[in-house]
Amino acid sequence: MSVRDKPCTADGLLKEIFGVPVAELYETATGPDTSRAVNRALELRSFLALAEEQVARIRDRVHQAMTPERDMDDLSADELRMDAQWLQAALDARDSYRAALGDLLRTMPPPGQQTRPARLTQQKATTTMPPASAAPAPQRAGAARARRP
C-alpha cells in the first residue's frame, strides 16, 4: 500500500486547509505551480502516516501478546520491554511529525496566496563619466618625476 493511501490523523486538517481530499493534493502536487508549503506538508503527512502505522503495529502486537487466551508461559518480559522501547520511539516520531506539520500549516501563506519563487535578475551597475570639460586633471597628475643626473 502506498503511503498516499495510508490513513493519517492529519488528513481532515489538510482537507480543511486546502479544500480538497489528500488524494487530490498528492495528484496536484506534481505540477509545476505547486508551492513548497504543499510539498512539505505532504512529505510530513507521509512521514506521519508511516509513524502512526508503526505505533498501531506495536500496539496490536502488545495486545495480542496480552490476550487472556494466550498461554502465560509464552509471556516474555524482555519482549514486552523491547516493544515498550519501540513504542516510545514510534510515539516520539509521530509527535515530532505532528508538531512539524502543525508548525508548517500555521506559518505558511493561505492557499490562495501561495508565493512563487522570486526571479532573481542580475543587476548592472552603470556609471557615467563626467564631461571632459568639467574639471581638468592637474598637469602632473600621475606623472613620474624626472630624475636628474
Side-chain angles (χ1 to χ4, degrees):
M1 175 186 280
S2 171
V3 72
R4 293 177 175 202
D5 302 325
K6 293 184 187 305
C8 177
T9 57
D11 290 351
L13 179 61
L14 290 170
K15 182 179 179 182
E16 180 182 322
I17 289 175
F18 295 107
V20 295
V22 172
E24 285 184 40
L25 273 178
Y26 275 109
E27 288 175 19
T28 59
T30 58
D33 293 333
T34 305
S35 73
R36 284 186 185 171
V38 171
N39 284 330
R40 288 189 178 150
L42 289 175
E43 185 175 12
L44 284 169
R45 185 251 174 228
S46 296
F47 293 153
L48 177 59
L50 290 174
E52 289 177 347
E53 181 183 26
Q54 289 174 335
V55 169
R57 282 184 182 182
I58 298 164
R59 178 203 59 204
D60 294 347
R61 186 171 54 234
V62 170
H63 284 199
Q64 184 181 14
M66 303 302 289
T67 61
E69 300 84 32
R70 186 118 188 231
D71 188 359
M72 289 180 129
D73 292 334
D74 291 340
L75 285 176
S76 168
D78 288 336
E79 285 181 19
L80 289 174
R81 266 194 288 290
M82 181 61 78
D83 284 336
Q85 290 174 346
W86 281 60
L87 181 61
Q88 185 62 53
L91 288 170
D92 289 346
R94 182 200 63 172
D95 293 345
S96 294
Y97 291 134
R98 287 174 73 175
L101 182 58
D103 289 345
L104 175 69
L105 295 175
R106 271 191 303 283
T107 59
M108 71 177 202
Q113 298 177 353
Q114 297 295 333
T115 58
R116 294 179 190 246
R119 292 187 184 201
L120 300 177
T121 57
Q122 183 75 25
Q123 292 190 3
K124 296 178 183 178
T126 57
T127 60
T128 56
M129 297 295 291
S133 63
Q139 288 289 343
R140 298 189 51 90
R145 285 191 177 183
R147 289 188 177 198
R148 293 195 181 180

